[in-house]
Amino acid sequence: MDQPFVDYLTSRLPLVEQALADAAATPLSEGRIATDLERYLYLPLARFTSSGGKRVRPVLALLGSEAVGGTAEDALSCAVAVELFQSAALIHDDIADEGELRRGEPCLHRVEGEGLAINAGDLALTQVFEVVLADEALNPGRKVRALTELMRMERHTLEGQALDLGWVRDARWDVTSDDYLYMVTSKTAWYSAAIPLLVGAIVGGGSEEAARGLLAVGLSAGVAFQLQDDLLNLVGDAEAQGKDLRSDITEGKRTLAVVWALEHLGEKDRAELVGILDSRATDAGTLARAVELIELGGGIERCRALARELADDAKRRASDLADGGCISVEARDLLSSMADFFVERAG
């Protein structure tokens, strides 16, 4: 299958990796204290950030710039900022979820302890702004606007995370599908796709129409991305998912598949599913039963259908932008390929 977006990811990855390496923070002091700071703060974050991931988010910032006639280099500082925010979000999320593994390795808080892990995440948040402020090649007006949008991204993500964690803490099972979609748009779509594309368009010199349009493309595609993640966690390839398979059930997450099923199951089946989700079950049989109930309530089917619907919406929006001359035809094709990749990937 032809996958232009995957090819684009591969081609831009070296730029992102080099920029991340160049932006690595160093201690403000020297000597023995600097050595301790490297050990306790800077190296843990550097190792975590360099440990992988597909780098989709920073590459989308480059795509946003190139889509409007800018260069990939124009957006590198924003790309690094987005990836550093991703590091902070994952480090803190793993602590909140009491996670064990991240990218096949022990979570940072399992290696360094919670206090140092929180601190490393906070350093990443600080660097989000430091790397953009330090970009001397960036037009001052565009720099300020990009920073404003990065702050908006952080606020949306924090709101979404608050809802996600709060619903679990308070054992809330009155959450609706619309509630979930609001939460996941805030928690995931803004930083996974919408803001990377938007800030790329800003620093690349795009028009207001192009910037707003790419934001809308990213919001639809970003939710589709998360819905596919939710599906893979429930019914993905067991070998590819490893110990993470069905961890959302163990953690009692309010995913669309779960919420939709709870809205459509009969009273007895609904009570059984809630009981499993509240129990923090880990045995394979119980987890499999939860998936059966979610399927019975139509949750898997609804999640898959909506992911495809949102991906198609993103493709239509990208096509409209190209038809209006806001982005290039090449960018339209890459964005369409991106939307398909988001909902067809197996990992």
Side-chain angles (χ1 to χ4, degrees), residues 8-76:
Y8 181 81
L9 270 175
T10 302
S11 70
R12 297 298 183 269
L13 188 59
L15 275 176
V16 170
E17 295 292 0
Q18 186 60 55
L20 282 168
D22 292 343
T26 56
L28 301 175
S29 59
E30 298 177 353
R32 179 178 174 180
I33 291 297
T35 300
D36 283 350
L37 286 170
E38 288 281 3
R39 176 185 175 188
Y40 298 135
L41 178 60
Y42 294 96
L43 287 178
L45 176 60
R47 284 194 298 267
F48 184 89
T49 301
S50 67
S51 67
K54 297 181 179 68
R55 308 296 195 205
V56 170
R57 295 163 183 85
V59 168
L60 286 181
L62 308 189
L63 176 54
S65 178
E66 293 186 280
V68 299
T71 67
E73 288 75 13
D74 290 335
L76 275 175

Side-chain angles (χ1 to χ4, degrees), residues 284-346:
T286 303
L287 298 179
R289 175 57 181 163
V291 173
E292 287 179 7
L293 290 165
I294 293 168
E295 287 187 300
L296 181 64
I300 302 296
E301 181 181 353
R302 175 56 181 160
C303 198
R304 188 172 285 123
L306 184 57
R308 183 70 265 174
E309 179 184 324
L310 288 167
D312 289 343
D313 179 71
K315 293 168 70 173
R316 283 192 296 271
R317 291 178 182 276
S319 183
D320 289 344
L321 286 171
D323 290 345
C326 294
I327 65 172
S328 66
V329 171
E330 292 79 9
R332 175 202 66 193
D333 294 342
L334 284 171
L335 290 166
S336 293
S337 176
M338 171 201 76
D340 286 336
F341 169 73
F342 279 4
V343 297
E344 293 170 4
R345 64 199 164 86

Side-chain angles (χ1 to χ4, degrees), residues 51-302:
S51 67
K54 297 181 179 68
R55 308 296 195 205
V56 170
R57 295 163 183 85
V59 168
L60 286 181
L62 308 189
L63 176 54
S65 178
E66 293 186 280
V68 299
T71 67
E73 288 75 13
D74 290 335
L76 275 175
S77 63
C78 289
V80 169
V82 168
E83 187 66 8
L84 286 166
F85 179 74
Q86 161 83 341
S87 289
L90 294 181
I91 291 168
H92 291 160
D93 202 36
D94 286 341
I95 295 169
D97 291 341
E98 300 179 1
E100 296 290 338
L101 295 176
R102 170 66 64 182
R103 298 166 179 164
E105 299 291 334
C107 292
L108 189 64
H109 67 278
R110 298 297 181 191
V111 176
E112 302 291 344
E114 283 193 10
L116 289 176
I118 290 170
N119 215 36
D122 289 347
L123 172 62
L125 290 176
T126 300
Q127 280 197 273
V128 168
F129 301 100
E130 285 181 342
V131 295
V132 178
L133 287 169
D135 186 352
E136 296 180 355
L138 193 54
N139 172 282
R142 294 175 187 175
K143 180 183 293 189
V144 170
R145 186 165 173 217
L147 288 168
T148 300
E149 296 298 345
L150 289 167
M151 285 190 289
R152 180 160 65 136
M153 172 191 75
E154 292 198 359
R155 177 73 71 87
H156 274 291
T157 307
L158 291 171
E159 284 195 357
Q161 178 75 330
L163 292 172
D164 197 21
L165 294 172
W167 290 338
V168 173
R169 188 198 70 179
D170 292 347
R172 291 277 301 279
W173 294 111
D174 59 342
V175 175
T176 68
S177 296
D178 286 344
D179 293 337
Y180 168 83
L181 290 172
Y182 180 89
M183 180 276 291
V184 81
T185 299
S186 292
K187 179 179 176 178
T188 302
W190 280 91
Y191 92 90
S192 291
I195 291 298
L197 286 170
L198 173 62
V199 295
I202 290 169
V203 299
S207 67
E208 283 297 317
E209 186 178 358
R212 289 194 305 269
L214 287 172
L215 177 71
V217 169
L219 287 173
S220 290
V223 176
F225 181 93
Q226 185 58 51
L227 292 177
Q228 179 67 3
D229 256 10
D230 294 346
L231 282 169
L232 290 172
N233 190 272
L234 293 175
V235 295
D237 179 79
E239 185 174 343
Q241 296 297 309
K243 291 184 178 181
D244 286 335
L245 183 67
R246 297 176 178 168
S247 60
D248 285 352
I249 298 173
T250 301
E251 295 170 15
K253 291 222 175 243
R254 276 68 170 164
T255 63
L256 179 66
V258 165
V259 172
W260 184 270
L262 291 175
E263 289 175 327
H264 293 85
L265 284 170
E267 185 176 344
K268 180 180 177 182
D269 290 332
R270 184 184 190 281
E272 182 182 358
L273 179 55
V274 168
I276 294 173
L277 292 164
D278 276 338
S279 71
R280 300 191 71 85
T282 57
D283 63 286
T286 303
L287 298 179
R289 175 57 181 163
V291 173
E292 287 179 7
L293 290 165
I294 293 168
E295 287 187 300
L296 181 64
I300 302 296
E301 181 181 353
R302 175 56 181 160

